[in-house]
Amino acid sequence: MATKKFMFVNRKAPYGTVYALESLEVVLISAAFDQDVSLAFIDDGVYQITKGQDTTTIGQKNFSKAYKALGDYDISKLYVEKESLAERGLTQDDLMDLVWEDEDDDWAEKSSIIIVSREEMAAIMAEQEVTLSF
Amino acid sequence: MKYTVMINEGPYQHQSSDTALQFVRAALEKGHEIFRVFFYHDGVNNGTRLSVPPADDRLLQKEWSELGLEHGLDLVICIAAAQRRGLMDESEAKRQGLDADNIIEGFRISGLGQLIEGGIQSDRTIVFGD
């Protein structure tokens, strides 16, 4: 089957609506199709990968740990928009340490998080063949 | 051109089902191919046969169903999203031990892989949603 550039655009906070959780379900399925997959986190979507999420008082499943498994599925390009972080008073230090292992570099652990400007994000999006936004 | 269409919002609550329906009709009229229509999130509710809107309103599920049957469209409801929201076909209801099914004719229930496959096989994938 052909390989295409798939991008999953995450725009919403992890809780409050089901978009983030169901987006992650699509992302994990896509891994089985051997495509060139990347994720974008913009607007409130940046909250999806923040550290220290605790859902005990809202009675919902904390699915944030699932993002840590993305590297094991060869999903290693997580583009995070710099302006969206800054507008929310966040920096990369507030994000989970999401990594992948590079088999071409003796399985060295590398960060999956790529901070890009809004302008760079637009250019990356323009290169995609299939863009699904959530 | 070959299109896959994704619908992420429920009927009536949101414009996306109406807009997608109009898009699919227009694309077919222009001679384009609709490879698949994939219903996700609350979009799965476009596939219930139990909606009863007021008499002077459109019945979106029936419009999808009729358009699908007329053109042989592949209308797919995501199984994971459907199970959360109580959308069942006969075999799934039986498998879950439930006493009713509610899917309208012309739709089928299948997995998320159908969406990814649609993206791979189509020239364009268009998302209708919030």
Side-chain angles (χ1 to χ4, degrees):
Chain A
M1 212 178 264
T3 300
K4 282 192 173 177
K5 289 169 81 75
F6 273 74
M7 174 172 262
F8 298 97
V9 181
N10 298 289
R11 300 171 293 138
K12 304 211 169 75
Y15 311 101
T17 64
V18 80
Y19 297 104
L21 172 63
E22 289 190 333
S23 167
L24 193 56
E25 290 178 354
V26 182
V27 171
L28 293 171
I29 294 287
S30 76
F33 284 77
D34 221 14
Q35 301 296 302
D36 180 2
V37 173
S38 62
L39 274 61
F41 294 90
I42 60 174
D43 301 342
D44 278 351
V46 298
Y47 286 118
Q48 293 179 23
I49 51 171
T50 51
K51 275 181 199 163
Q53 294 180 31
D54 179 1
T55 60
T56 48
T57 56
I58 60 169
Q60 289 178 34
K61 189 164 71 176
N62 181 349
F63 59 93
S64 62
K65 287 183 185 73
Y67 293 97
K68 295 193 173 179
L70 292 175
D72 299 333
Y73 287 93
D74 284 331
I75 296 170
S76 57
K77 288 177 286 189
L78 276 55
Y79 298 103
V80 183
E81 194 187 72
K82 193 167 61 183
E83 288 86 343
S84 293
L85 287 173
E87 283 158 8
R88 289 160 182 80
L90 300 171
T91 68
Q92 187 164 359
D93 290 341
D94 296 302
L95 304 180
M96 288 187 281
D97 190 21
L98 302 174
V99 296
W100 62 291
E101 292 178 346
D102 187 352
E103 61 173 302
D104 297 328
D105 189 8
D106 198 23
W107 302 99
E109 212 170 68
K110 298 182 176 178
S111 178
S112 302
I113 292 179
I114 308 158
I115 309 281
V116 298
S117 70
R118 193 159 279 170
E119 204 179 332
E120 289 166 327
M121 185 68 94
I124 294 161
M125 284 181 173
E127 291 168 6
Q128 304 301 317
E129 293 174 281
V130 182
T131 306
L132 301 178
S133 57
F134 296 94
Chain B
M1 202 170 269
K2 198 192 285 187
Y3 289 97
T4 283
V5 172
M6 181 185 196
I7 297 164
N8 286 338
E9 297 294 338
Y12 308 106
Q13 170 81 14
H14 199 283
Q15 173 78 31
S16 67
S17 175
D18 293 270
T19 313
L21 188 65
Q22 288 158 20
F23 173 85
V24 169
R25 280 195 183 122
L28 290 168
E29 271 169 31
K30 293 271 184 193
H32 296 292
E33 181 188 342
I34 302 296
F35 178 78
R36 182 165 291 148
V37 183
F38 192 85
F39 297 85
Y40 198 48
H41 298 311
D42 276 358
V44 299
N45 291 312
N46 286 288
T48 176
R49 65 165 184 266
L50 299 182
S51 276
V52 187
D56 59 351
D57 202 353
R58 71 231 185 274
L59 181 43
L60 276 165
Q61 291 90 339
K62 191 156 165 275
E63 292 196 32
W64 275 113
S65 171
E66 287 174 356
L67 188 70
L69 292 170
E70 185 187 343
H71 294 277
L73 300 180
D74 191 19
L75 307 179
V76 179
I77 291 174
C78 169
I79 187 161
Q83 286 179 335
R84 284 199 177 98
R85 294 163 177 86
L87 259 285
M88 295 285 151
D89 62 12
E90 200 182 341
S91 69
E92 188 57 23
K94 203 170 285 175
R95 203 170 70 84
Q96 299 288 345
L98 297 168
D99 61 3
D101 62 84
N102 55 352
I103 193 174
I104 196 167
E105 191 185 5
F107 284 71
R108 66 186 180 95
I109 291 184
S110 189
L112 279 166
Q114 299 279 305
L115 171 64
I116 306 299
E117 194 214 4
I120 296 168
Q121 300 290 347
S122 304
D123 301 308
R124 295 281 187 279
T125 300
I126 305 196
V127 182
F128 292 87
D130 209 356

